[in-house]
Amino acid sequence: MDEATAVPDGPGSPGGRKQGGGGAGRGRTGDTGWIEDALTTPLVEAVRDLDGYGGLVYLRSPDRRSLVLAMVTGVPRSLLKSWWRVPVGGALPMAETYRRDETVWLPDERATVVRFPHFTAGLPYSFGSAYQPVRARGEAVGVLVVLRSAARAPMDAEAVGRALRPAQERLAERLGRLDVAVEYDDEPVSVRLPTPAVHPIRVGLLDWDLDTDRCTADDDALALLGIDRTGFGGTLADIEVRVSPDDLHELRASRSDALVHGRVRSRHFRVLHESAGGETGYRPVELWGHLVRGPDGSGRMLVCALVDAVVGLTAAEAAERLPDALFSLDQDGRLTYLNRRSEELLGCGREELLGRYPWEVITWLRDPAYEDRYRAAMLSQEQVSFLVRHPAGARLSFVLYPDVHGLTGRVSPAGPPPGDEPARGDGPVLAAVPDGSGAAPPPTPVAEARAGALYHVVQMASVLTEAVTVRDVCRAVSEQLLPAFGVRELALYTVREGRMYLLWESGYPEGFLAPFEGITLDTQLPGVHALTTRLPLFFESPEDLSAAYPGITLDRMSAWSFLPLIASGHPVGSCILGWDTPHRFTADERSALTALSGLAAQALERARLYDSESAVARGLQEGLLPHRLPAVEGLRTTGRYLPGTQGMAIGGDWYDVITTGRGVALVIGDVEGHSVGAAAVMGQLRSAVHAFAASERPPQEVITHTNRLLTELEADAFATCCYIELDPRTGRALAVRAGHPPPLLRHPDGRAETLDLAGGVMLGVQPDSVYPVTELTLDPGSVLVLYTDGLVERPGSDIETGIDRVRACLADTPVDSVELLADRLVGTARRARERPDDVALLLTAYR
């Protein structure tokens, strides 16, 4: 496919670039164009290869928190406004494709609602969609999306992957040539799919000297007139012999039009035309012209354009003769044509309607349900029919016929559907009506609420139900609101003892919010007023905010919303959002933001209570772990504990160092579960192991007695444990392992290995279990590492891989300081945003 067949048309294209702001996501390609030039052809080819009707390309944002719609084709940008930015962690097919780096195929609405119910709530239309990861330079950088009619022949996921692979590879190759990071942070560029030409429209140029009737014509003009250049004498008479005798007046009247008005507007006449079969007929031509005079006012030249009128004129005349009303909308829903009958039925002239949305001009079409019919047609690419009650009482039948470039509509008077007598009033009547093809399309559900606003409320509610701590709630609000509404700054404040304190901020200049920390509730600031009055405040420009609050300190933002956080009737705090350009808040957006602030307030209140209870539980657990390890000559020991980030963030991991008559016992264990009960069992086991070890029982007996004790407790809990008794004088050690991960040993030469210790079953499974003992000897300069599975387990990988990763880190890290070595070993786990399990580490350096 020639790359010139699809042309970018939007803020990111030459001539259409947004001035000022934005553009941060654009980068020059390695050859000729901008980043959108690398996307255009692969996107159009992907739509073609999958037999689709539309396509999208999402690229990651510079902060990596969002996927930003960079390019769209086949569907209007306006219908996808709510999905221009989506959070990477959202429950959306494009986000899941990016996170998992795998293809997602949703053949129809049924498949979509099963896997992504929140996405379906926002786009309740019937269509199929395929999502393919976009990679460049060995990493995921975005997602390719193709929209496909659900009514087409079904495809399996494997066939979809094969169809999209060429476009995926071409995107990877082109994006890999960018001389900047592959990311985007601007409005999407709209690309037009190639238009199949019904008939080529030709235009020719003609200069007509009105004083001498001499004419000069280009090749296209002569072809339209059916004149061979060798037989053209350059006079008006040569042209008149080609014109139908019935239309000679139209051609000659062009002279008087030019002399009186200085121009010629749409004079129509027919010229002789020979068809491909050799038959002779007449072909309509349209003439437009502009009169040009010489510098001294002498000489009169009519500069003309001859237009082939076969398609446009003939089609328009045919449409005007039909008894039905016909109209046409472009992709965005603006009216591009309507015939005379449409004017009569709609009661509105074409000059009022052309270039505008019908539901904005015609008052009785303003119900959101009617605009939703247009959305349904364009996003499903299937015919949509419905009835509308005219204010005069008549019912009109609307039928919409879409394609990727717009839709054609037909309107005709209709009676009520059989057996239906709607109630009186001005509300919409929505039903399927016959379209003349013999079949009645099924009725399509009507979304009374705006799809985008509904989606964001549903999505936020879903995410907040999974947020446990205050930090979880703040992060969820940030990840949802920032990309969904194009917000650049966010601040969440809580109120305590009559003062406002910052909980979370994103996007603010460093130190900007410091002066507002701890302000009282009588401070003259919009965030405080929103909370005390319980009313949201919206400012669409810096001038609006400065006028309402003279002297207020402004940052780089240009629009703001200040939302009160109210839960169960009492104030929780405020949410402040900032936009970097002046922003008009629609009624839908105000309603959605207000609703979302209510959800956030309820979640924060619940999370604050949870955090209070969790603090008590963490205090219990910290009390059960050793506060300091005993100093043992010849050994350097240190421990680390990291609680999990899920549930109560309290678990049953423990470690201990116990002095015995024969040396020192190194112990680490893990009780299953994350709860106060698990911590209580852990405390009992730690006390039991300590008591058995202090009584100088051999290692095997310590574990055997501890196992029997756990089974007798009937705590319905199991535990793993590794117990090593070490003689610091000789380096000789006896080790017992009960279902626990194997220790690691770093040798003096820096080599690290996994110790293959014989082991028994977990503690608490069988009261009479036997636990074998393994003998080993540590050389001076060795480092022994005991750990729990939280250190080595990662979602999506096996435990052996995790053990190898920690072993490699142990071998590569200097052992000058056991504290620094311990910090290095738990560094990855400490930095992880999500830590499903607790992490415990006991590190022993043998001198």
Side-chain angles (χ1 to χ4, degrees):
M1 177 179 294
D2 190 327
E3 297 184 19
T5 58
V7 182
D9 178 22
S13 59
R17 298 186 185 278
K18 187 168 63 176
Q19 299 300 316
R26 297 198 184 95
R28 297 290 301 193
T29 57
D31 39 35
T32 59
W34 298 87
I35 191 169
E36 53 263 28
D37 298 322
L39 305 178
T40 302
T41 300
L43 175 59
V44 173
E45 290 180 345
V47 175
R48 178 200 62 192
D49 293 344
L50 200 60
D51 198 16
Y53 63 81
L56 323 168
V57 176
Y58 282 91
L59 295 179
R60 60 189 182 181
S61 63
D63 61 11
R64 304 299 189 265
R65 294 186 302 188
S66 309
L67 292 176
V68 183
L69 183 58
M71 183 166 287
V72 57
T73 187
V75 292
R77 295 190 320 152
S78 58
L79 294 190
L80 303 171
K81 184 65 178 290
S82 300
W83 289 269
W84 284 11
R85 285 177 176 270
V86 299
V88 166
L92 295 165
M94 59 283 282
E96 181 169 309
T97 298
Y98 178 78
R99 293 195 306 268
R100 298 189 176 183
D101 195 23
E102 60 184 28
T103 303
V104 173
W105 167 232
L106 305 172
D108 51 32
E109 185 180 14
R110 186 177 307 169
T112 307
V113 76
V114 170
R115 292 191 60 180
F116 303 97
H118 307 313
F119 186 51
T120 309
L123 285 176
Y125 311 110
S126 176
F127 62 90
S129 51
Y131 305 81
Q132 186 83 349
V134 174
R135 299 183 61 83
R137 304 167 190 161
E139 62 177 337
V141 298
V143 177
L144 168 68
V145 185
V146 175
L147 306 180
R148 192 172 187 268
S149 172
R152 289 194 177 277
M155 296 179 65
D156 57 35
E158 186 176 346
V160 169
R162 286 197 305 269
L164 293 181
R165 196 163 296 123
Q168 180 190 36
E169 293 172 352
R170 192 162 187 179
L171 277 171
E173 185 270 329
R174 287 179 158 222
L175 292 174
R177 298 204 309 263
L178 288 175
D179 55 14
V180 294
V182 181
E183 56 193 30
Y184 202 77
D185 197 25
D186 209 334
E187 292 186 5
V189 176
S190 181
V191 172
R192 299 180 187 277
L193 287 173
T195 305
V198 177
H199 189 284
I201 298 179
R202 292 179 294 174
V203 179
L205 300 180
L206 174 72
D207 292 342
W208 176 3
D209 188 333
L210 299 182
D211 294 323
T212 63
D213 278 344
R214 297 290 301 176
C215 297
T216 304
D218 66 5
D219 291 340
D220 290 323
L222 292 177
L224 284 173
L225 295 170
I227 301 175
D228 184 80
R229 179 165 291 281
T230 57
F232 181 51
T235 67
L236 181 63
D238 294 324
I239 296 175
E240 288 183 342
V241 297
R242 302 292 302 173
V243 177
S244 167
D246 294 334
D247 296 340
L248 276 175
H249 171 74
E250 285 292 310
L251 174 61
R252 293 168 180 170
S254 300
R255 178 196 298 273
S256 58
D257 287 346
L259 295 176
V260 173
H261 303 292
R263 59 183 180 271
V264 179
R265 285 191 171 181
S266 189
R267 282 288 180 176
H268 297 89
F269 52 89
R270 290 165 293 169
V271 298
L272 285 170
H273 171 72
E274 185 172 316
S275 68
E279 300 176 352
T280 302
Y282 286 102
R283 185 184 189 91
V285 175
E286 187 176 358
L287 185 143
W288 296 72
H290 182 74
L291 184 65
V292 178
R293 295 182 181 272
D296 56 355
S298 63
R300 298 172 297 184
M301 181 69 70
L302 182 61
V303 179
C304 306
L306 286 176
V307 181
D308 183 0
V310 168
V311 176
L313 175 63
T314 305
E317 288 179 346
E320 292 295 334
R321 300 187 190 105
L322 291 174
D324 285 352
L326 297 179
F327 64 88
S328 178
L329 305 181
D330 64 14
Q331 263 199 344
D332 289 324
R334 293 181 175 88
L335 195 130
T336 57
Y337 170 79
L338 74 163
N339 64 358
R340 188 178 298 108
R341 181 58 172 154
S342 293
E343 293 181 278
E344 295 173 359
L345 288 182
L346 299 178
C348 194
R350 64 185 69 189
E351 290 303 321
E352 297 177 73
L353 286 168
L354 288 175
R356 303 178 67 184
Y357 299 110
W359 46 84
E360 289 185 353
V361 179
I362 304 173
T363 57
W364 47 274
L365 286 178
R366 286 182 182 172
D367 190 287
Y370 300 136
E371 182 182 354
D372 193 71
R373 300 302 85 213
Y374 149 76
R375 292 172 179 267
M378 291 303 297
L379 288 175
S380 68
Q381 285 295 294
E382 295 178 10
Q383 175 187 318
V384 171
S385 305
F386 56 96
L387 289 174
V388 176
R389 183 185 294 109
H390 191 279
R395 289 175 175 81
L396 300 178
S397 165
F398 281 74
V399 186
L400 308 180
Y401 304 91
D403 73 2
V404 295
H405 303 288
L407 62 80
T408 296
R410 190 182 76 201
V411 188
S412 58
D420 179 38
E421 287 296 335
R424 293 184 179 180
D426 295 329
V429 178
L430 295 157
V433 298
D435 63 359
S437 64
T444 308
V446 176
E448 291 293 346
R450 297 286 178 167
L454 175 63
Y455 166 76
H456 293 308
V457 173
V458 172
Q459 174 70 4
M460 177 73 88
S462 173
V463 172
L464 289 179
T465 58
E466 300 176 3
V468 178
T469 66
V470 169
R471 182 176 179 82
D472 291 340
V473 172
C474 292
R475 183 169 60 242
V477 171
S478 176
E479 291 179 349
Q480 293 299 314
L481 287 183
L482 289 176
F485 293 90
V487 176
R488 298 299 183 180
E489 289 181 350
L490 176 144
L492 287 171
Y493 279 88
T494 185
V495 59
R496 294 197 307 269
E497 300 177 353
R499 293 180 178 274
M500 302 279 285
Y501 296 96
L502 183 67
L503 283 176
W504 184 280
E505 67 86 13
S506 177
Y508 280 91
E510 184 176 357
F512 179 81
L513 296 176
F516 305 106
E517 187 70 4
I519 58 174
T520 59
L521 296 186
D522 57 0
T523 309
Q524 298 298 309
L525 288 173
V528 176
H529 286 172
L531 178 62
T532 55
T533 62
R534 305 191 178 192
L535 295 175
L537 301 175
F538 299 92
F539 300 96
E540 299 183 345
S541 68
E543 293 75 17
D544 291 347
L545 181 57
S546 297
Y549 294 89
I552 189 172
T553 303
L554 297 178
D555 61 359
R556 60 194 177 190
M557 296 294 103
S558 298
W560 298 264
S561 69
F562 299 85
L563 307 172
L565 302 179
I566 309 296
S568 302
H570 69 275
V572 174
S574 291
C575 175
I576 303 172
L577 306 176
W579 285 258
D580 59 356
T581 58
H583 186 81
R584 178 179 174 269
F585 295 96
T586 64
D588 284 338
E589 194 171 31
R590 291 172 186 249
S591 299
L593 288 172
T594 303
L596 291 172
S597 67
L599 293 174
Q602 294 288 347
L604 276 175
E605 188 69 0
R606 183 186 68 247
R608 286 204 303 195
L609 177 61
Y610 177 90
D611 282 352
S612 298
E613 296 176 349
S614 183
V616 174
R618 285 196 301 271
L620 168 64
Q621 185 177 34
E622 290 171 1
L624 294 174
L625 290 173
H627 295 284
R628 66 176 62 90
L629 299 177
V632 179
E633 186 177 354
L635 299 179
R636 287 176 294 169
T637 59
T638 189
R640 295 291 185 272
Y641 175 78
L642 302 176
T645 60
Q646 299 177 1
M648 288 289 288
I650 177 173
D653 290 17
W654 90 93
Y655 59 85
D656 211 345
V657 176
I658 308 165
T659 56
T660 69
R662 294 184 298 272
V664 61
L666 309 174
V667 189
I668 196 161
D670 181 3
V671 178
E672 67 170 358
H674 301 85
S675 64
V676 175
V681 172
M682 177 268 284
Q684 291 174 300
L685 290 184
R686 179 179 175 238
S687 298
V689 171
H690 203 289
F692 293 140
S695 66
E696 300 189 7
R697 293 178 183 272
Q700 185 180 36
E701 289 188 20
V702 171
I703 297 302
T704 300
H705 283 72
T706 303
N707 174 58
R708 187 174 297 115
L709 173 65
L710 182 56
T711 57
E712 292 173 355
L713 287 175
E714 297 183 354
D716 292 328
F718 305 105
T720 65
C721 183
C722 186
Y723 182 98
I724 299 179
E725 186 177 83
L726 173 66
D727 183 351
R729 295 169 300 178
T730 65
R732 181 175 177 271
L734 300 175
V736 179
R737 187 165 66 95
H740 201 81
L744 300 175
L745 178 64
R746 174 184 166 121
H747 295 277
D749 60 2
R751 179 173 50 89
E753 66 171 320
T754 303
L755 295 178
D756 184 16
L757 303 182
V761 299
M762 297 172 63
L763 303 178
V765 176
Q766 298 174 350
D768 55 351
S769 295
V770 176
Y771 296 92
V773 178
T774 303
E775 295 187 15
L776 58 139
T777 301
L778 273 60
D779 296 325
S782 300
V783 178
L784 184 66
V785 179
L786 305 181
Y787 56 90
T788 58
D789 55 6
L791 182 67
V792 294
E793 285 187 333
R794 293 288 182 275
S797 64
D798 55 68
I799 191 170
E800 286 77 13
T801 301
I803 293 174
D804 287 341
R805 182 172 57 249
V806 175
R807 181 185 54 77
C809 181
L810 176 63
D812 295 340
T813 305
V815 294
D816 301 335
S817 167
V818 292
E819 301 296 335
L820 293 178
L821 177 58
D823 288 337
R824 178 75 184 275
L825 294 179
V826 300
T828 301
R830 190 188 302 277
R831 292 188 298 269
R833 174 180 291 185
E834 300 294 339
R835 200 162 46 243
D837 201 358
D838 303 353
V839 174
L841 172 75
L842 178 60
L843 190 149
T844 302
Y846 175 53
R847 298 178 183 177

